[in-house]
Amino acid sequence: MNERAPVDALTIRETYTVGLDVWGTCPPELVKLKTLLGRLRGHVQLLVPEVTAIAARMRGEMRQTAVYVIVRAHRLLEEGAGKSQVAKACHAQDLAVISRALLTLFENPGPLGPSTGTSDIEEAIRGRICGACSRLIASGESYERVLFASEASGGIHGYRHTDSCVVVAEERRAQLRAI
């Protein structure tokens, strides 16, 4: 029998509060980032299957939000933190945001109906969208992880086709013309 660990909402809230304030009252170098990152990762790993199970029964915008948060959680766990203290602090804050969102969805899922569209959720988790052309990167298509410029932050990590994207092809043609 596959039993899940119980969700300790109070501990999760305490942990993500520290993660959300990593840039606030405590400078990142004074926060024990390694411990904080481990706890936040653990909370996200605990909550993702719980919210995934509930998301299949959610409706409307709640479901869309849940799927988005689940996908982002998977990406954050996949990416991991960088080497520098700043990168670790940024990753801790991102995990804190996702932990908070997952816990909110877990505790307040809205009206639930019968389980539907579980394959849609699984497909969204596995899928990657090209940040240049906004098309799904199909299985077998080559892609790269890139940092896209963002007015809201230093950049947004995402994926981009390496060969089959019209936008990337136009960029390469323009580079070749410049030579």
Side-chain angles (χ1 to χ4, degrees):
M1 189 162 137
N2 184 12
E3 289 194 31
R4 294 180 176 149
V7 173
D8 180 356
L10 181 61
T11 300
I12 293 170
R13 276 189 195 85
E14 289 171 354
T15 306
Y16 76 57
T17 299
V18 173
L20 290 171
D21 194 41
V22 77
W23 298 105
T25 57
C26 298
E29 55 274 4
L30 298 180
V31 176
K32 295 190 183 339
L33 283 174
K34 186 175 181 179
T35 303
L36 179 61
L37 282 167
R39 286 183 181 158
L40 287 167
R41 284 181 68 80
H43 295 325
V44 171
Q45 289 169 334
L46 172 70
L47 288 167
V48 162
E50 298 290 342
V51 174
T52 301
I54 297 169
R57 298 177 50 217
M58 290 178 179
R59 299 294 173 256
E61 288 302 314
M62 226 27 175
R63 181 184 177 110
Q64 294 299 321
T65 301
V67 171
Y68 176 81
V69 170
I70 293 164
V71 168
R72 285 301 308 142
H74 277 274
R75 298 294 184 263
L76 283 173
L77 292 172
E78 182 182 294
E79 292 169 7
K83 302 268 186 230
S84 72
Q85 287 294 93
V86 171
K88 289 178 183 175
C90 287
H91 192 64
Q93 190 171 43
D94 290 345
L95 285 170
V97 169
I98 291 299
S99 296
R100 183 179 181 177
L102 286 166
L103 185 60
T104 300
L105 289 163
F106 176 75
E107 292 183 321
N108 305 293
L112 300 176
S115 183
T116 59
T118 55
S119 61
D120 294 345
I121 296 171
E122 292 168 11
E123 186 177 313
I125 292 168
R126 286 190 311 271
R128 287 179 167 67
I129 302 294
C130 176
C133 70
S134 299
R135 285 191 359 242
L136 182 67
I137 299 172
S139 179
E141 285 185 309
S142 58
Y143 65 91
E144 60 187 347
R145 275 193 41 71
V146 294
L147 187 65
F148 292 99
S150 167
E151 292 179 14
S153 68
I156 297 173
H157 292 277
Y159 303 95
R160 181 172 75 171
H161 287 106
T162 53
D163 297 326
S164 56
C165 175
V166 174
V167 176
V168 173
E170 291 294 326
E171 284 177 14
R172 295 219 170 105
R173 279 189 210 106
Q175 290 171 349
L176 288 172
R177 278 185 235 132
I179 295 178

